[in-house]
Amino acid sequence: MSEHRRKPSQPEGGGGRAAARRAAQQRPGRGAGPARDVPTASHSGPYAEPPGHAGRTGARRSAPRGSGGRGRGAAGGAGRGAGRPDKRLINYPRSDRDGWKRFLPSWKLVCGTALGFFAVITAGAGIGIASVNKPDPNKAAQAQNNVFYWADGTQMVATGGSMNRQIVPIDKIPKSMQNAVISAENESFETDKGVDPMGIARAVWNMAKGGSTQGGSTITQQYVKNTYLDSDQTLKRKVTELFISIKLGVSEEKDTILAGYLNTAYYGRDAYGIQAAARAYFGKDCKDLTPSESAFLASVLKGPNLYNPDGGIGSAATPEKNTERAKERWAWVLDREVSVGRMQKSERAQFTEFPKIIDSEQARSLSGQTGYLVETAKQYVMKVTNSTADEMARGGYQIKTTFQKPKVDALVKAVEETRNDFLDEKARPEYDTFVQFGAASVDVKTGAIVALYGGPGMDKKYFSNNANTIGVPVGSTWKPYVLAAAMEYGTQNSNGQGISADSKYNANDLTVINNRDGKPLRDASGKPFKQKNESTYPYGYVTLNEAMEKSINVPFAQLVFDVGHNKVREVAASTGILKDSMNPNNDASFALGTSTPSAIRMADSYATFAASGTHREPFSVTSVEKDGKELPGFGAPKEQRAMDNAIADNVTKVLENVVDNGTGTKVRKLGFTRPAAGKTGTTDQNKSAWFVGYTPELSTSVALFRTDPNSADKKLISMNGVGGVDSIHGGDIPAAIWTEYMKEALKGTPVKEFPEADKIGVTADASGAPSPSPSFSPSPSPSMPSPSASSSPPVSPSPSKGGKPTCKPWELYCIPDSSGGNNNGGNTNGGPGGGPGGGSTGSPSSTPTGRPGRPGGTSWGTSMGTSG
């Protein structure tokens, strides 16, 4: 080789040499091939291409491939991310990710959001806690009165606010009371910070399992709630309560909080605070309470309306049910004290008897009918405002009722005078004890309850309101609903057309009843069921008008199957009868009155007939003010069309005949001369007797039954022998009370006639009825003995006493007018599947109504019907 050979020129700027160095320094690996494109030096000096840009270009090309590491994907991804910078404050959805990963938040975003949320909550809570005030137990304890007014605006009574509300310090509250409340309400009270999240979760879990549980609120939270005397269920109120609870939990001594709670809690009997409660239930200061008495008061705190043994508001708060709940809760509280270490087992074993409670001062202040009137009005206010019994007890309500004092007084007088003449518990203790009266009177035009009789009085330890009691069968007063349904819907024999009261049905005793398929019903033994009447008299086929007049069972037992039980239920419900009070069975006795509506509901329902088919819900309150502000929703309920006016007027026409010529003639014999319609009812074994009747102005129901008010099951007892007579019927005692009340209640009111009834329906006789030609059932001669004459002689009228008339208005066989005759009714004798029914009639006498279009009728001999 020539020594004159020249060294190759280096590229400008050392690009080739620098690129070679960079490529040589990179980590070797798969895909590192670009190093082969770089010239390699030797000790003799390398030879190269002529100078140019090839070396620099090769370095640029090799650098990205070398930096890619393992594979092309990584390099490509980095390239794309670097190519799409994101300048948003929050990179979400994420610009450096593809697909679903764009919506997966980064840990920075999660942590930042959580931190920000916590900061906002902390700041808000701090501001909220700083801005709320601590509760004032002295102010919270000052509950207000509830003032009730008569319909004319005069004051009836003021309840609440009358008990001693002395605030007592914690050292005056016995340790037994503190232990009982903490054990029952808030086991962690001494360690929690005002709220207990775990306690809330535990309460929810136990409730989900259906077990007994402590409340989710701490004692601190309950104390805070007690300081608010309004009933606003708003988010603002609840948040405020939470903030106050937290503030108290970190700033107040536990003894202060516990004393505040016990001094402001409501215990029932108008007692706010432990001192008032100790006086109300035990007649002693709270410092003298025994552990057993303390456990009882801790039990009442769970809900006085349901745990006060006096009873509360609502069907679930009877004295019996409340007493049973209170006893169970009392025992549980004592056991709970043992389980949480606040009482020794040996001490718990000493308390086996429920503590003795003194009579209620509240009950003594609500004497006579006042307690029942107040209870009825309270229930209506709670229904309209959706408030609780405890909220009502806190007071502040000005309640104007529909009750008219003159009418209430007239009803009380009618009941008590009849009771005094009729019953003699000393002479007949085995018969005349436990006889109960209930009555209600409703304005036909509005549905307003103007009067009621609930019992002898809460001051006499009778807390059940007989005017609103559900559980007393109404007997044959149910039959008008069966007739109305037949007039509206027709029967299987009328081709879908409504039928008239002139349709004939078999009325003979022990007639087989067929179902809707025309096949005989079966009794328990599988034999064809035969319906029993009160009388065995062979009536043959009679019109439904006559069947109602004499209250014969068989026609209506068959009619209910021909119409359909559900159709009857629809008609009854449209007039205001509550469905849960109806007999749910599709049997024959359904037509005969085994359903159990209250006296209030029966009076309101019959008012629908009086108002020509227009129904108005019963109501007892016309206006309510709370803290000076009138509450909405207390106008008269809107009227609703229950049935065609012609149907209602025809039912009235039939029921007028009952009063004029049938089982309700006692009304006429006692001198009631106004237009009146009504129905008597007597149930199986003479356990209850009803009269429900109306004029164009008022509808009134009267119930008579016998039950021991202190019994656990309130089982009805037969009234056979009560008052010294064989049996009691709706046509005598209840009808007498109805008449005496209505005469006084309507005194001075102009006489008004019922609307004339239009002719409606088709005559659709039952299967087997004779041809449409007029049929005639001969009247038994006066000398003919009654087929159902009792083997025992009639009870003679009791001698007069004190110058009173010889004939008492309740006496069954003594008629004070000159027409003579007997008014001997009958009780209900149901066979298998049968039920109450029947009616009584007087001696044969035609009594025309004196008005066109109103049938007169003849009353057949004694004991011709059933429920009367």
Side-chain angles (χ1 to χ4, degrees), residues 16 29 58 95 102-103 124 227 239 403 447 506 516 552 635 717 731 773 867:
S95 62
R102 295 183 65 216
F103 300 96
T227 66
V239 171
F403 305 125
N506 191 344
R516 288 186 64 81
I552 310 172
I717 307 170
S773 59
S867 143

Side-chain angles (χ1 to χ4, degrees), residues 3 15 78 178 273 276 283 332 378 459 510 520 539 594 650 659 781 789 803 806 858 866:
E3 59 184 24
Q178 300 178 42
W332 180 86
K378 277 185 178 180
D459 55 321
L510 298 176
Y539 293 102
T594 48
N650 272 272
V659 172
S781 64
T806 302
T858 301
T866 31

